[in-house]
């Protein structure tokens, strides 16, 4: 007799460390082949103990993979001058800053002060702009790679790991047919991520307090890039359509309405706050990733290696 | 018999047009000496009638001074691509955008999309950074002038016109001994302005909702620049010390507490809202400037001429 018991519906929680592991191995191999371990300098100018913990964690991860790491703690008023010094110091190969510093638009100014040649976070205007326009190199000769912002890049690697990116499809088209909801439209993560996934073929609903926008791949020729439109849909209409829901709301009070999820959705939270109720989300989601920090750290280091290659290419061409 | 009647204490209201007039004359003379009138393109991507009026006003001022002006009205989603086109169009010499577009940090992104070679507003990161560090040129050979953000520049010209800049003192030291209060610490005007005036020798109290900071000229050697410290003083303690009070609060509800002003203060409002009560301010202020728009417009065009010179220098060196 056939077994008529329905297959057990189960939800799997995947830790960022699992996704990060192969990247960490790859980084170790690459670094060990270099004459000198690239050096990352982290600037910590706030007194938030969580930021300090995160900074120490970057240090640990960097060392584990074989990189040099130096944490520089300083007063926020000295930060700009110290960034400028590090920009021109040949012994510093990568720079990152622990945010927030001032917590105002002055932080955006400081972000742009980091030389693009050393910007492991990938937040320089040119990197964000290239990402929006799907431009992969800094120069026409294609000798210098453009860096991707590390959190959006981490998300892409996670979606690849989970098989959301369909490897049967052509590169650049591997999210075709997928629908994604991203709750957060910051300039640093949410909006770049929406554009990145749309460029790869997904339909992306980008949600923030001002409303919902729909990102799709544009048909432009000169600039291969996404298109954006404001939509009047509500979360209630949009979420049930989504294969993937990604949240990044930096507030302990925010919880995503998991009752709207379709059965079998993939749920990923990149906020340091827990945007999904851990019990409720598992009643609907096939896969739940509660945080992505370890993958982001691996991507920071991956960017550092790319920057180091660019630096060598530039020195060689002088 | 001596006339013992005290001199009548009177307050003078000075219009921006009065300050702008000699600059407009100078611009006309400079433009008429050129082979071709430089062309300014203004991008208007919002539907605010006030922005449209302001845009038409720029057009009128540009034409009056002999420049070419073209207003391009478009959807906000097309703005980035159209900026990128104008960046590389040899027939466009200057670009400005009517803000706000999205009203979020996406506007900062768009701002940085304007090529620095055409940025008449002077908001490119390199211009703001050079201003903070008192760097006047873009290159070591000093052939390319760094542009100043146009609203802070307009404020300096107004203070020069009013004699607040003391011409007896050496250039770069002409605000020495002056105390200034600036209510607004935005990245676009308030903070650059505080730094600019501090670099010229003033003690500047920069006020915003997060508190009061004191900007003074730093003693740095490598980077000649201002120093900043948080102060615990209140407006009540600070304002009576100030020779000049500058306001830029973009809200109709905000009124500066004029009762705190010292007698004979100079009061200047750069917000489009009226931050001073027009009657109350005149009971204390020696000079009151209710708005600065016409001077800002003249500075935009002045920046356009400087950029045109830079463009010619760059073409010649190719």
């Amino acid at each position: 007799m056939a077994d008529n018991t329905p297959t057990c519906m189960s939800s799997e929680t995947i830790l960022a460390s699992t996704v990060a592991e192969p990247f960490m191995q790859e980084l170790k191999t690459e670094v060990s082949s270099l004459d000198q371990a690239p050096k990352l300098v982290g600037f910590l100018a706030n007194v938030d103990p969580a930021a300090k913990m995160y900074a120490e964690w970057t240090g640990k991860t960097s060392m584990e993979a074989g990189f040099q790491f130096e944490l520089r703690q300083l007063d926020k008023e000295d930060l700009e001058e110290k960034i400028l010094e590090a920009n021109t110091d040949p012994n510093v190969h990568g720079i990152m800053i622990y945010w927030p510093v001032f917590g105002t638009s002055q932080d955006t100014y400081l972000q742009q002060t980091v030389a693009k040649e050393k910007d492991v976070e990938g937040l320089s205007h040119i990197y964000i702009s290239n990402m929006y326009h799907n431009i992969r190199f800094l120069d026409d000769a294609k000798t210098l790679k453009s860096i991707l912002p590390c959190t959006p890049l981490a998300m892409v690697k996670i979606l690849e790991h989970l098989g959301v990116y369909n490897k049967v499809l052509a590169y650049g088209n591997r999210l075709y047919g997928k629908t994604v909801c991203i709750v957060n439209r910051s300039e640093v993560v949410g909006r770049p991520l929406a554009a990145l996934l749309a460029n790869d073929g997904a339909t992306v609903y980008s949600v923030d307090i001002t409303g919902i926008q729909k990102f799709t791949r544009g048909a432009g020729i000169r600039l291969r890039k996404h298109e954006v439109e404001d939509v009047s849909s509500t979360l209630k209409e949009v979420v049930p359509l989504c294969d993937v829901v990604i949240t990044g709301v930096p507030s302990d009070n925010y919880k995503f309405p998991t009752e709207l999820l379709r059965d079998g959705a993939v749920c990923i939270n990149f906020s340091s706050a827990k945007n999904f109720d851990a019990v409720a989300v598992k009643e609907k989601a096939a896969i739940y990733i509660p945080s992505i920090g370890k993958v982001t750290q691996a991507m920071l280091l991956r960017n550092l290696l790319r920057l180091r290659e660019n630096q060598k290419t530039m020195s060689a061409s002088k």
Side-chain angles (χ1 to χ4, degrees), chain A residues 24-39:
Chain A
M24 289 299 289
Q25 289 306 329
E26 199 180 302
L27 288 167
K28 273 182 208 171
T29 310
E30 282 198 58
V31 175
S32 65
S33 74
L34 298 175
D35 297 340
Q36 185 201 16
K39 181 173 178 176

Side-chain angles (χ1 to χ4, degrees), chain A residues 55-76:
Chain A
E56 283 164 358
W57 188 34
T58 326
K60 197 165 156 279
T61 311
S62 304
M63 276 9 156
E64 264 172 33
F67 293 85
Q68 301 179 70
F69 180 79
E70 186 185 325
L71 182 62
R72 299 185 180 171
Q73 289 184 259
L74 70 176
D75 188 272
K76 62 188 178 357

Side-chain angles (χ1 to χ4, degrees), chain A residues 3-161:
Chain A
D3 182 357
N4 286 322
T5 318
T7 312
C8 179
M9 306 293 272
S10 80
S11 175
E12 192 166 351
T13 300
I14 295 183
L15 297 178
S17 53
T18 309
V19 184
E21 185 50 31
F23 292 105
M24 289 299 289
Q25 289 306 329
E26 199 180 302
L27 288 167
K28 273 182 208 171
T29 310
E30 282 198 58
V31 175
S32 65
S33 74
L34 298 175
D35 297 340
Q36 185 201 16
K39 181 173 178 176
L40 175 61
V41 167
F43 285 105
L44 180 61
N46 74 35
V47 292
D48 178 1
K52 185 151 190 216
M53 266 185 58
Y54 188 73
E56 283 164 358
W57 188 34
T58 326
K60 197 165 156 279
T61 311
S62 304
M63 276 9 156
E64 264 172 33
F67 293 85
Q68 301 179 70
F69 180 79
E70 186 185 325
L71 182 62
R72 299 185 180 171
Q73 289 184 259
L74 70 176
D75 188 272
K76 62 188 178 357
E77 293 300 343
D78 296 327
L79 182 54
E80 181 177 3
E81 190 151 352
K82 296 302 173 189
I83 293 170
L84 293 174
E85 281 175 20
N87 279 347
T88 56
D89 180 348
N91 296 315
V92 176
H93 306 112
I95 297 171
M96 69 172 296
I97 300 168
Y98 295 94
W99 307 105
V101 176
F102 288 93
T104 65
S105 57
Q106 196 171 342
D107 286 1
T108 312
Y109 170 81
L110 284 169
Q111 219 169 59
Q112 300 306 317
T113 302
V114 176
K116 71 172 190 297
E117 291 77 12
K118 300 192 176 177
D119 172 22
V120 293
E121 295 179 272
L123 299 176
S124 294
H125 178 80
I126 185 70
Y127 294 138
I128 306 263
S129 171
N130 281 351
M131 199 215 56
Y132 284 139
H133 301 110
N134 225 343
I135 295 169
R136 310 280 169 130
F137 293 90
L138 290 171
D139 56 338
D140 291 336
K142 300 191 176 181
T143 62
L144 302 171
K145 279 188 187 159
S146 193
I147 298 299
L148 286 166
C150 56
T151 304
L153 176 59
M155 199 63 76
V156 168
K157 295 300 174 187
I158 289 168
L159 294 174
E160 284 179 350
H161 177 96

Side-chain angles (χ1 to χ4, degrees), chain A residues 281-309:
Chain A
V281 70
K282 286 178 206 163
E283 283 173 25
K284 294 275 198 162
I287 295 171
Y288 166 52
I289 300 198
S291 74
I292 70 160
K294 289 213 171 175
V295 186
T296 309
Q297 302 250 355
M299 292 307 124
L300 271 176
L301 297 172
R302 197 168 190 263
N303 279 347
L304 177 54
L305 279 185
R306 298 293 164 274
L307 289 173
R308 191 73 195 101
E309 285 165 20

